[in-house]
Amino acid sequence: MGRGWGFLIGLLGAVGLLGAGHGGQQASETAAQRCFCQSSDVNLKKPCPFWNDINQCGRRDCAVRPCQSDEVPDGIKSASYKYSEEANNLIEECEQAERLGAVDESLSEETQKAVLQWTKHDDSSDNFCEADDIQSPDAEYVDLLLNPERYTGYKGPDAWKIWNVIYEENCFKPQTIKRPLSPLASGQGKSKENTFYSWLEGLCVEKRAFYRLISGLHASINVHLSARYLLQDTWLDKKWGHNITEFQQRFDGVLTEGEGPRRLKNLYFLYLIELRALSKVLPFFERPDFQLFTGNKIQDAENKKLLLEILHEIKSFPLHFDENSFFAGDKKEAHKLKEDFRLHFRNISRIMDCVGCFKCRLWGKLQTQGLGTALKILFSEKLIANMPESGPSYEFHLTRQEIVSLFNAFGRISTSVRELENFRNLLQNIH
């Protein structure tokens, strides 16, 4: 499929979960359609569970603009009490609890079942991320197109602290082993780099993969920031674009002492992992009971058709990653390793609530949950295979949050792959 593949899948990043339109759709859209089609429900006000000294980014580019209540489709608001008029009234707790569980009776029975399944399902024991409570009064719908991932100016010790805690405390690494180019390893020379990779190669395949996934996610985010960098900021206009110098500082083989190419290899590894997960979850989306629920039946049916077309295209990809070597061998040891794997990643998802830049926090939470959902899929092969053809699927289920995160995260990763080609062309033009 070649270069067209990155472009095709990259469309997911622009379209979000539900394609905003195609072909003959009218150019004008309602605010609700525009918001939901690229929206995520997220709580950006959760306190950091690990430390209190968070310096909030005061730059305007760090801010996030949430959707207003009238911009959220009725189909979504029916299952979200915080957007109802009653939420603004002082009523007794029992009445509040009753309304929280209510479903709009004007919806079809089929749709009510889908909404109830999404809102009531609790599979935290299988989840790799700590999801936000969508019923929390602090949770908001955010239009991802109005809040794009790009360079915000959030950097320095606060930003470094986030990644340092992730790498140093959550990647199965002993404190005595220092990462190359880490401030903790400054001035320690090439021998420390060799020590790190000797240690890494000595790990089991699952722990090596864990590190590579986190490194790949970090690299992907850095590609986005380099590709959408603030090049000009005047009172008249802002100009965003590719910052070649920034990209070289993060990925050039010479400037990074060989680390840059390794980071990019890990990015491709992450891409293949998420690609594999999408190919394996196809049966879940093919089930007749699954709906892309906005309240507009015609649009929902068309969106599902488009989604299945993309997933079948992914399924046909000939070079999928083979995850069968993961958690093989002794069942007891494999189960413990899988649980450690899951808990480490779940902890990383909680660290995202410590990011001081709200826009960075938004995209960090979204992409972390997207990767966590991909891992959940990969390690649920038997559950997916045993799903009933119709009716509720209780053993394996994806919440609306997980679905939105899964596709938007993959859109971000595939956009990074496409941007690498753009940077390659730009670098060839200056040398």
Side-chain angles (χ1 to χ4, degrees), residues 20 36 66 73 76 78 81 138 141 143 185 187 201 205 241 243 255-256 266 276 280 288 313 335 357-358 379 426:
F36 175 72
I76 300 302
S78 66
Y81 173 71
D138 288 332
Y141 285 98
D143 186 330
E201 290 303 314
V205 62
N243 187 323
L255 296 178
T256 63
N266 292 338
R276 176 62 166 166
K280 298 193 74 168
E313 184 73 14
H335 178 76
C357 163
F358 284 118
F379 302 143
L426 289 170

Side-chain angles (χ1 to χ4, degrees), residues 160 164-165 167-168 173 175-188 192:
W160 172 81
N164 184 62
V165 170
Y167 283 116
E168 296 296 323
K173 188 182 74 63
Q175 294 294 324
T176 54
I177 301 295
K178 305 302 181 184
R179 289 179 294 119
L181 301 185
S182 165
L184 296 178
S186 59
Q188 294 181 342
K192 289 296 181 181

Side-chain angles (χ1 to χ4, degrees), residues 233-278:
D233 186 7
T234 67
W235 67 278
L236 284 175
D237 191 24
K238 283 189 174 185
K239 182 180 179 182
W240 304 85
H242 294 83
N243 187 323
I244 299 176
T245 301
E246 186 74 18
F247 180 83
Q248 289 178 301
Q249 289 176 347
R250 296 176 187 269
F251 300 109
D252 183 273
V254 174
L255 296 178
T256 63
E257 301 176 13
E259 275 301 293
R262 289 192 179 101
R263 294 168 180 170
L264 295 181
K265 287 181 180 179
N266 292 338
L267 190 159
Y268 281 110
F269 177 69
L270 171 62
Y271 178 78
L272 289 175
I273 288 287
E274 296 202 2
L275 195 71
R276 176 62 166 166
L278 287 173

